[in-house]
Amino acid sequence: MLDVARTAQVSVATVSALINGTTRVSPALTQRIEAAISAIGYERNAIARSLKLGATNTIGLMVSDIRNPFFTDIVATIQYALNRVGYAVMVCSSDENTELQDMQIKLLLDRAVDGLIIAPAGEDVMLKDFLASVRRPMVIVDRTCEGLDVDTVTLDNRKAVLDATSYLIGLGHRRIGYIAGPLITSTGRDRLAGYRDALAAAEVPYVDELVQDGDSREAGGYRAAMQLLTQRDRPSAIFSANNLMTIGAMRAIRDAGLSCPDDISVACFDDFPWADVFRPHLTTIAQPVQAIGEYAANLLLDRLSGKADEAPRRLVIQGRLIVRESCRALARP
Amino acid sequence: MLDVARTAQVSVATVSALINGTTRVSPALTQRIEAAISAIGYERNAIARSLKLGATNTIGLMVSDIRNPFFTDIVATIQYALNRVGYAVMVCSSDENTELQDMQIKLLLDRAVDGLIIAPAGEDVMLKDFLASVRRPMVIVDRTCEGLDVDTVTLDNRKAVLDATSYLIGLGHRRIGYIAGPLITSTGRDRLAGYRDALAAAEVPYVDELVQDGDSREAGGYRAAMQLLTQRDRPSAIFSANNLMTIGAMRAIRDAGLSCPDDISVACFDDFPWADVFRPHLTTIAQPVQAIGEYAANLLLDRLSGKADEAPRRLVIQGRLIVRESCRALARP
DNA sequence: TTGTACGCGTTATCAC
DNA sequence: GTGATAACGCGTACAA
């Protein structure tokens, strides 16, 4: 910029004024400066600018598993919403690994991001303390982080699973297997709570062995389903608490030589972008993913534009049970 | 840092030396400085550091559609590979839109990324000229950009489709529909060329109406397949040139009341992470996605570490035809 | 081993 | 409308 100023025989202040439009610059100088800029091939140094301005116009986004279609969609939506208003997005995926997660957040913070959107992999003590010490605008999405007073966008997981389980019960099912996500996540806990709520409401006894941990990945879902399917008194229905585990569960059902919904009913959490390639079409709880992403982006944008000390806002979105063809009514004995 | 120095009664140089480990600092001062750091809650200003060092340790990654599982995987792999060595990744998705693409790349460049990895949405003239003017390390992945002399990682698309089409021909198919990706992309062109190669090699005439544009998205694949299926002399097989289009095509086949592979054989490009939820299991060309991502990351890392003026390297990876159950041999009339 | 002083490229403030 | 200059916070010669 100094070079430009020299070439155009003006001061750097004038060049800066022109570039940023802060002040009117006379046509004569404007022309000289623009000529100098293209002659030299000058490009504004964004780092110096950020140093001066104290903002990078960049936000950090950390999800627990970017390959999970749900999070892919979240990332895409947020990235798009933020780009539109001039923010760049730095993305990390913790792969459901709490240690990696801490490292990645540090990496993000170390890049001086203006704000953070986080879908926590789980609540190790570290994370909570750590995030609490971060003084930058932040919103937590999908899963909450107990005791952390920041903006959040979450689904009403408990209610959603209550609905789905009640639907299964309404169909006559009593032994309903449940493939659970990690209980270190709020989603894992809330969804399980919804399952128990439904059982309690219908006075169906809760059976420990019907709840199997699926660790939120496909392989875990497979194992959990197998566990369920090989019990002497096999459940007549299974609820799977997220999309990837469902894929594993469906595979297990096939491998066990069973057929859904003829031998066993399946309902699950999370709809798929390509739901109809699945056979049978799955009855699921759909999350309004795009809306969730937009809300998260907007909450952060609000914080970024000054609303620093308002009380945290906690948005809770309702899921929607989509009945398709993977559940069958149980003939009463 | 100045505050830390004052609190610890030392100079900023000493603090800096301790933090970066450039010089040995006496134990006494070390202790005082560390105490001061945690007392004040000091955090190094990454922007000032970048300004001084001239590097952000951040790279920009632009893909044409982050929701496409292929690119999701690319993003995840690259992000992981680069994070491991201390780089953060700024992600953009152009949504197969060349205008958006230009904007996003500008956004990335404006954040002073140290390097760029790009999967181009298409080659508008803009892009080529624009990228040529970028003086930062760069690697192009998946699709090439004609006339741009930079490192690239691509699949041998032509050969892969040649193999798949030849396989179909070997099964006795003569009327083979082809659902094409955009011809403004190198992948679109190369894959189509492979199809023609196979026909030519087997002396099967090329028929214009058997090639339908699917624009690389699901909806386009559906339309293209429908077009093919409603022709008076319906093709006995279809090759679909990417994953999303395949999903659309399978849907079209169902909607047309046809069954695969009984009524029509299907082979396609790109394997799916969850290939076995598809019915029937699809015969596809699998790309070694992770390897592609790793290669791209490594090429960039090489450039970043000084190999600035070596000749561009062009890695070409071989695809692999995975025969499953979506293709059937045609009974000779 | 430690301290001083300068430069990185901008932008904002104030004089002119 | 324009120009001089002081920060922004860090790394690093160079001097002590």
Side-chain angles (χ1 to χ4, degrees):
Chain A
M1 180 146 138
L2 185 60
D3 291 336
V4 173
R6 272 203 277 262
T7 308
Q9 315 258 39
V10 296
S11 79
V12 287
T14 311
V15 177
S16 175
L18 176 63
I19 291 178
N20 298 303
T22 22
T23 320
R24 284 211 52 76
V25 176
S26 69
L29 289 198
T30 298
Q31 189 158 7
R32 274 191 2 232
I33 293 173
E34 278 170 352
I37 286 180
S38 59
I40 298 191
Y42 164 79
E43 291 173 29
R44 178 175 68 189
N45 183 316
I47 308 177
R49 183 188 161 84
S50 289
L51 177 60
K52 184 64 187 166
L53 262 27
T56 52
N57 281 338
T58 299
I59 76 106
L61 171 58
M62 133 128 309
V63 295
S64 47
D65 179 9
I66 196 181
R67 286 183 238 247
N68 180 321
F70 172 75
F71 289 115
T72 305
D73 217 349
I74 290 277
V75 169
T77 307
I78 291 179
Q79 186 258 322
Y80 183 66
L82 256 20
N83 269 14
R84 235 177 355 193
V85 293
Y87 278 86
V89 178
M90 236 174 243
V91 175
C92 286
S93 171
S94 62
D95 273 336
E96 302 282 2
N97 175 332
T98 52
E99 286 173 46
L100 202 54
Q101 167 172 272
D102 293 348
M103 288 185 45
Q104 312 249 44
I105 296 181
K106 270 181 197 134
L107 191 79
L108 253 22
L109 254 17
D110 198 50
R111 289 305 175 290
V113 292
D114 293 341
L116 234 34
I117 299 181
I118 297 181
E123 309 170 19
D124 51 347
V125 202
M126 283 286 301
L127 180 68
K128 195 189 112 191
D129 292 351
F130 183 47
L131 290 184
S133 75
V134 172
R135 290 168 187 289
R136 268 167 267 192
M138 177 165 47
V139 3
I140 306 275
V141 66
D142 183 48
R143 304 166 177 176
T144 60
C145 198
E146 203 74 33
L148 200 60
D149 257 2
V150 299
D151 293 340
T152 56
V153 184
T154 53
L155 198 84
D156 189 344
N157 288 290
R158 187 162 181 167
K159 172 66 161 51
V161 177
L162 165 62
D163 288 350
T165 311
S166 298
Y167 166 73
L168 251 15
I169 294 174
L171 251 28
H173 295 280
R174 288 297 174 270
R175 284 187 67 79
I176 302 174
Y178 183 90
I179 303 180
L183 298 183
I184 58 165
T185 64
S186 64
T187 46
R189 292 190 300 271
D190 292 348
R191 292 175 191 181
L192 182 56
Y195 168 76
R196 301 192 68 150
D197 285 352
L199 295 186
E203 294 182 357
V204 174
Y206 171 84
V207 180
D208 241 349
E209 69 201 15
L210 284 180
V211 175
Q212 296 291 331
D213 177 27
D215 92 352
S216 89
R217 314 293 274 256
E218 186 181 337
Y222 184 91
R223 277 195 306 273
M226 266 307 179
Q227 227 292 331
L228 255 14
L229 296 174
T230 54
Q231 289 177 10
R232 64 243 145 295
D233 188 6
R234 187 184 358 114
S236 62
I238 287 183
F239 181 86
S240 162
N242 92 345
N243 50 8
L244 264 29
M245 296 193 298
T246 303
I247 292 175
M250 295 308 285
R251 187 171 292 169
I253 289 174
R254 267 201 302 273
D255 286 359
L258 299 173
S259 147
C260 165
D262 292 337
D263 300 318
I264 190 161
S265 292
V266 172
C268 58
F269 215 101
D270 291 323
D271 201 10
F272 293 85
W274 312 295
D276 67 353
V277 303
F278 287 84
R279 307 270 99 172
H281 290 163
L282 294 168
T283 291
T284 79
I285 295 163
Q287 303 196 49
V289 195
Q290 316 243 346
I292 293 174
E294 299 270 4
Y295 285 138
N298 288 333
L299 283 182
L300 189 64
L301 252 18
D302 281 353
R303 291 277 166 203
L304 251 19
S305 61
K307 309 191 178 177
D309 20 76
E310 275 178 27
R313 286 182 288 175
R314 302 186 173 281
L315 265 42
V316 177
I317 318 285
Q318 292 302 320
R320 193 164 53 90
L321 180 67
I322 302 183
V323 174
R324 290 199 271 245
E325 46 189 49
S326 62
C327 300
R328 182 151 298 178
L330 209 60
R332 285 301 175 79
Chain B
M1 183 148 135
L2 185 61
D3 291 336
V4 174
R6 271 204 276 262
T7 308
Q9 315 258 36
V10 297
S11 79
V12 288
T14 312
V15 178
S16 174
L18 176 62
I19 291 177
N20 298 305
T22 19
T23 320
R24 283 211 54 75
V25 177
S26 68
L29 289 198
T30 299
Q31 188 158 7
R32 259 163 48 203
I33 293 173
E34 280 170 350
I37 286 180
S38 59
I40 298 192
Y42 164 80
E43 290 172 30
R44 177 176 68 187
N45 182 317
I47 308 176
R49 183 187 162 84
S50 289
L51 177 59
K52 182 68 188 166
L53 264 27
T56 52
N57 281 338
T58 299
I59 75 106
L61 171 58
M62 134 127 312
V63 295
S64 47
D65 179 9
I66 197 182
R67 286 183 238 247
N68 180 321
F70 171 75
F71 289 115
T72 305
D73 217 349
I74 290 277
V75 169
T77 307
I78 290 180
Q79 186 258 321
Y80 184 66
L82 290 178
N83 269 14
R84 237 178 354 196
V85 293
Y87 278 87
V89 178
M90 236 175 244
V91 176
C92 286
S93 171
S94 62
D95 273 337
E96 304 282 3
N97 175 333
T98 51
E99 286 174 44
L100 203 53
Q101 167 171 273
D102 293 348
M103 288 186 46
Q104 312 249 44
I105 296 180
K106 271 181 195 135
L107 191 79
L108 253 21
L109 253 18
D110 198 49
R111 291 303 176 292
V113 292
D114 293 342
L116 234 34
I117 299 181
I118 298 182
E123 309 170 18
D124 50 348
V125 201
M126 284 286 301
L127 180 68
K128 197 189 111 191
D129 292 351
F130 184 47
L131 289 185
S133 75
V134 173
R135 293 169 184 291
R136 269 167 267 192
M138 177 165 49
V139 5
I140 305 274
V141 66
D142 183 48
R143 303 165 177 178
T144 60
C145 197
E146 204 74 32
L148 200 59
D149 256 2
V150 298
D151 293 340
T152 57
V153 184
T154 53
L155 198 84
D156 189 344
N157 287 292
R158 188 162 179 167
K159 172 67 162 49
V161 177
L162 166 62
D163 288 350
T165 309
S166 299
Y167 166 73
L168 250 16
I169 293 174
L171 250 29
H173 295 280
R174 289 297 173 270
R175 282 187 69 78
I176 303 174
Y178 183 89
I179 303 179
L183 298 184
I184 59 164
T185 66
S186 63
T187 45
R189 292 190 300 270
D190 293 348
R191 291 177 192 179
L192 183 55
Y195 168 76
R196 300 192 70 149
D197 286 350
L199 296 186
E203 295 181 356
V204 174
Y206 171 85
V207 180
D208 239 349
E209 70 200 15
L210 283 179
V211 175
Q212 296 291 330
D213 177 27
D215 93 351
S216 91
R217 314 293 274 258
E218 187 181 336
Y222 183 90
R223 276 195 306 272
M226 266 308 178
Q227 227 293 330
L228 255 14
L229 296 175
T230 52
Q231 290 175 9
R232 64 241 147 295
D233 188 7
R234 186 179 4 110
S236 61
I238 287 182
F239 182 86
S240 161
N242 93 344
N243 50 9
L244 264 27
M245 294 193 298
T246 303
I247 292 175
M250 295 308 285
R251 188 170 291 168
I253 290 174
R254 266 202 302 274
D255 286 359
L258 299 173
S259 148
C260 163
D262 291 336
D263 301 316
I264 190 159
S265 291
V266 172
C268 59
F269 216 100
D270 291 322
D271 202 11
F272 292 85
W274 313 296
D276 67 352
V277 304
F278 287 84
R279 306 272 101 171
H281 291 163
L282 294 169
T283 291
T284 79
I285 296 163
Q287 304 195 48
V289 194
Q290 317 242 347
I292 292 175
E294 299 270 3
Y295 284 138
N298 288 333
L299 283 181
L300 190 64
L301 253 17
D302 282 353
R303 291 276 164 200
L304 251 18
S305 62
K307 309 191 179 175
D309 20 73
E310 275 177 28
R313 286 183 288 174
R314 303 186 172 281
L315 264 42
V316 177
I317 319 285
Q318 291 302 322
R320 193 163 54 88
L321 180 66
I322 303 183
V323 174
R324 290 201 272 245
E325 44 188 52
S326 61
C327 301
R328 181 151 299 177
L330 209 58
R332 286 301 174 81

